[in-house]
Amino acid sequence: MNLLDKTDDEIVAIANPIWDNLVKTSNMKDYGGFTRDFGTQMLFGANEVELGKQWSNNKLLTSLSEDYVAFGCLRRGQNITVLFKQKSKEIEGEFLGRLVLGIEGEEIKVFGATIYSVSYTHLRAHETREDRGCRGGREKKKGGGGGGGGGGGG
């Protein structure tokens, strides 16, 4: 299977159930369920103790809403990154989710998964006007501390 030959719509259709599982199992602090689609390298960095610390120290990671939407795919090398606009059940605002997919053997695996605690709106401000910066403190910060749901990168 060549993941890179798929359209964005096909990639999102593959990514949505994987993201859905990450959201549900992160909320439940279910290590086995959370890591079930991880590639080998992701599993090395996502040990149960470290994930437990992230879940304990970051309210966002255990209050993810099933109200999310994929809004883009980025292709680099042999991987595809799917970007999600993610909400929380308890923290106001929108957050950026990142899911890196690749092929391991003949299976699609997770090579990276992150929830950024900076609000999606804040990140969009940087994207739409590079020269504007982050508006010199006029933008209210939304979200909890910390970052990274599931550790790892891709």
Side-chain angles (χ1 to χ4, degrees), residues 14-120:
I14 292 167
N16 274 335
I18 295 170
W19 189 257
D20 191 61
N21 175 65
L22 290 173
V23 166
K24 288 177 182 174
T25 55
S26 186
N27 287 341
M28 295 185 304
K29 301 180 185 179
D30 174 9
Y31 175 79
F34 187 78
T35 59
R36 79 169 189 207
D37 296 314
F38 281 16
T40 304
Q41 290 297 325
M42 274 291 287
L43 285 171
F44 286 132
N47 72 65
E48 195 165 0
V49 171
E50 288 305 315
L51 277 176
K53 288 179 185 176
Q54 288 185 30
W55 285 327
S56 293
N57 295 325
N58 188 331
K59 185 178 179 181
L60 175 61
L61 299 179
T62 56
S63 66
L64 299 170
S65 169
E66 292 177 28
D67 181 13
Y68 60 82
V69 63
F71 68 92
C73 297
L74 305 171
R75 290 162 173 77
R76 184 172 30 177
Q78 296 301 306
N79 298 329
I80 296 180
T81 299
V82 182
L83 301 174
F84 289 89
K85 184 166 43 169
Q86 177 69 55
K87 292 186 178 181
S88 168
K89 296 174 188 173
E90 298 179 22
I91 301 171
E92 184 182 336
E94 298 170 320
F95 303 91
L96 178 65
R98 173 184 152 271
L99 179 64
V100 181
L101 299 175
I103 301 293
E104 188 173 277
E106 294 296 317
E107 295 182 74
I108 297 171
K109 293 290 185 178
V110 174
F111 286 23
T114 311
I115 295 284
Y116 294 96
S117 294
V118 173
S119 74
Y120 169 81

Side-chain angles (χ1 to χ4, degrees), residues 3-12 72-82:
L3 203 54
L4 298 173
D5 289 340
K6 297 197 175 297
T7 66
D8 283 5
D9 287 341
E10 291 172 319
I11 296 298
V12 168
C73 297
L74 305 171
R75 290 162 173 77
R76 184 172 30 177
Q78 296 301 306
N79 298 329
I80 296 180
T81 299
V82 182

